Amino acid sequence: MSRKEKLKELFTHNIVLKLVSIGIAFMIWVMVVNISNPEITDNVTAELSVQYTDELTGIGKTYSLNTINVRISYKVRSNFRRLIHPSNFKAYIDLRDYSVTGAVPVYVDVDDSVSSYINSISINPIVVHVETEDMVERTFDVMTEVVGEPGEGKVTGPVTLSAQTLTLYGPASDLGKIAKVAIDIPVDGALGDISGTGTPVFYDSAGNKVDISGKTIVKDNISYKASIYNTKTLSVNVSSTGTPADGYALDRIETSPSFVSVYGPQDILDKNDTITIPAEMLDIAGASKNVTVSLNAEQYLPEGLYIKESGELAIAAYITELQETQDATTSDAASAVTPESSASEETTKADDDTLEAGDRQESKLNHETAETKPHIMDNKQKDKPDDSGIDADNAHDRESQE
């Protein structure tokens, strides 16, 4: 019989008896263990607590530990093992033990309910290092951060805070991270004024939020009130001062944009439709070319109103030369002559010539008549009047007049 066949027969021959033997052996082992109740080593992890913290905080210092957990090892009888839990141990340090080295021993207390079951307690680590730093007080200017958008057609107006500064007391390392303190103002969906108590949010110099430890104390509570306003579009009214140079005149004034969107209390919005820019802001005295001015309309708003977006205005006064204007007018009139108007002008000119010729003829006849009248008077004085001659002369005068 080969070796392989012998090994196979060893495991397969009387297999039932062999399985029964294994079962009996296991039962005997369990009985021995339960009867002997051997002592085993076990361990738990416990969180450190700190006692007598006022030993440091009382002198204006705070502390931090290099670890907050310790491992507690102990010996216990196997049948009591299931009774032991981490909550049965209390690991702590006493800050009265603090020294310049910073090393403080760790202590462990065991609940009386399980203390009789365990022994040989050991701790790892047996000491922890305590780091201290000064507690400082700093005051920060408070800014506001509007969160969300108000209801449709509404704009968030000025926000009023109960205080403009906030005082913090905490570890120097925490307060050293803070560059800005802000109060969040939640206005999402608001249709009217809102108010409340703000929760400060801390930011570093890069604008990132900073999480400070629970040891920092906020000494002030700041409340806020935010106004929610309607909006309105106002037209821009601009005039100028001064007179352009000789031979020049102001053609027109244009602004870009010509309307500005504002917001504010409804009663003030109802009273205003325009923003008036003072005339002295656009001085065209002695100007011979266009004059442009840039300014912000915000400083000219009626009191109580605010610019919704940018208030930047570009104002231009267009200056034109008078001679160029007259030449352009004459040129336009000449170019506007039509064949009909030309014919009408020729007809009018012909009528004027006819009337002038008639006037000259009438003047000539009157002159001849004036020369003839003295002779008639002489004949009247010398001779007896001749009726037929007089009638002929009269007829001649009438023909001349006609």
Side-chain angles (χ1 to χ4, degrees):
M1 181 181 296
S2 65
R3 185 178 179 181
K4 184 176 180 181
E5 292 175 348
K6 288 180 179 181
L7 289 174
K8 182 178 180 181
E9 184 179 358
L10 177 64
F11 287 101
T12 59
H13 184 67
N14 295 327
I15 188 171
V16 176
L17 291 176
K18 291 177 180 179
L19 291 175
V20 171
S21 299
I22 294 173
I24 293 172
F26 177 75
M27 292 177 64
I28 293 172
W29 178 82
V30 171
M31 291 173 64
V32 170
V33 169
N34 287 333
I35 293 172
S36 64
N37 191 20
E39 190 175 62
I40 61 174
T41 300
D42 204 354
N43 61 77
V44 294
T45 299
E47 184 176 351
L48 276 174
S49 63
V50 182
Q51 296 182 356
Y52 296 98
T53 57
D54 55 352
E55 291 292 322
L56 292 178
T57 58
I59 59 175
K61 291 184 179 294
T62 186
Y63 64 89
S64 61
L65 307 178
N66 65 332
T67 182
I68 59 173
N69 296 311
V70 295
R71 180 180 292 272
I72 303 172
S73 299
Y74 54 90
K75 288 184 177 182
V76 63
R77 295 291 178 179
S78 59
N79 58 338
F80 297 132
R81 181 182 182 185
R82 58 185 177 83
L83 300 177
I84 310 303
H85 304 285
S87 59
N88 298 130
F89 301 89
K90 180 182 179 182
Y92 64 93
I93 61 172
D94 189 334
L95 288 184
R96 290 177 298 182
D97 299 329
Y98 177 77
S99 65
V100 292
T101 63
V104 178
V106 178
Y107 302 97
V108 175
D109 289 340
V110 183
D111 288 348
D112 293 340
S113 60
V114 297
S115 61
S116 60
Y117 302 140
I118 61 176
N119 58 76
S120 301
I121 299 173
S122 62
I123 309 167
N124 184 30
I126 60 175
V127 297
V128 296
H129 187 74
V130 179
E131 296 180 354
T132 63
E133 65 175 315
D134 293 333
M135 294 284 286
V136 297
E137 182 176 281
R138 288 185 59 188
T139 299
F140 298 87
D141 292 333
V142 180
M143 305 179 67
T144 57
E145 296 283 348
V146 176
V147 180
E149 294 292 336
E152 185 176 357
K154 303 290 184 177
V155 173
T156 303
V159 177
T160 303
L161 299 178
S162 60
Q164 300 301 316
T165 59
L166 182 68
T167 301
L168 302 178
Y169 179 74
S173 59
D174 279 357
L175 271 57
K177 300 175 185 177
I178 300 173
K180 183 180 74 172
V181 177
I183 299 293
D184 285 346
I185 311 298
V187 300
D188 200 33
L191 298 175
D193 296 351
I194 60 173
S195 59
T197 301
T199 300
V201 182
F202 309 108
Y203 297 88
D204 61 18
S205 57
N208 302 313
K209 287 187 178 181
V210 175
D211 292 326
I212 58 177
S213 67
K215 298 175 183 178
T216 299
I217 301 172
V218 179
K219 289 194 169 184
D220 307 305
N221 290 324
I222 296 182
S223 58
Y224 64 84
K225 180 178 180 181
S227 301
I228 306 299
Y229 290 145
N230 290 324
T231 62
K232 185 176 182 179
T233 300
L234 304 184
S235 60
V236 180
N237 183 18
V238 183
S239 58
S240 63
T241 184
T243 304
D246 292 342
Y248 293 87
L250 174 64
D251 183 25
R252 67 190 185 279
I253 298 175
E254 293 183 357
T255 63
S256 178
S258 55
F259 295 90
V260 175
S261 183
V262 301
Y263 62 90
Q266 189 60 49
D267 58 336
I268 301 180
L269 290 176
D270 293 339
K271 296 177 183 178
N272 294 276
D273 296 311
T274 61
I275 298 175
T276 301
I277 306 300
E280 56 267 23
M281 300 307 298
L282 185 61
D283 188 358
I284 61 173
S288 59
K289 59 182 180 180
N290 299 339
V291 178
T292 60
V293 175
S294 295
L295 50 83
N296 197 310
E298 187 171 5
Q299 55 186 320
Y300 306 107
L301 283 179
E303 186 176 358
L305 297 184
Y306 307 89
I307 293 287
K308 182 179 179 183
E309 296 174 351
S310 174
E312 294 297 326
L313 291 178
I315 304 174
Y318 290 89
I319 307 299
T320 184
E321 189 174 359
L322 292 176
Q323 184 60 42
E324 292 179 357
T325 303
Q326 293 175 355
D327 293 343
T329 303
T330 304
S331 176
D332 291 343
S335 61
V337 175
T338 61
E340 292 81 357
S341 62
S342 178
S344 176
E345 289 179 359
E346 293 178 358
T347 302
T348 303
K349 183 177 180 181
D351 293 340
D352 291 342
D353 292 342
T354 303
L355 290 174
E356 185 178 353
D359 291 340
R360 288 196 301 268
Q361 181 68 25
E362 182 178 0
S363 176
K364 181 179 180 180
L365 291 175
N366 290 335
H367 179 70
E368 293 177 352
T369 304
E371 291 179 348
T372 307
K373 284 182 180 180
H375 298 288
I376 295 173
M377 294 298 297
D378 292 340
N379 292 330
K380 286 180 180 181
Q381 295 175 358
K382 293 179 180 181
D383 300 324
K384 183 181 179 179
D386 188 355
D387 293 337
S388 61
I390 294 172
D391 292 338
D393 291 337
N394 290 338
H396 178 72
D397 290 341
R398 285 195 301 271
E399 288 178 0
S400 299
Q401 293 175 359
E402 290 175 1

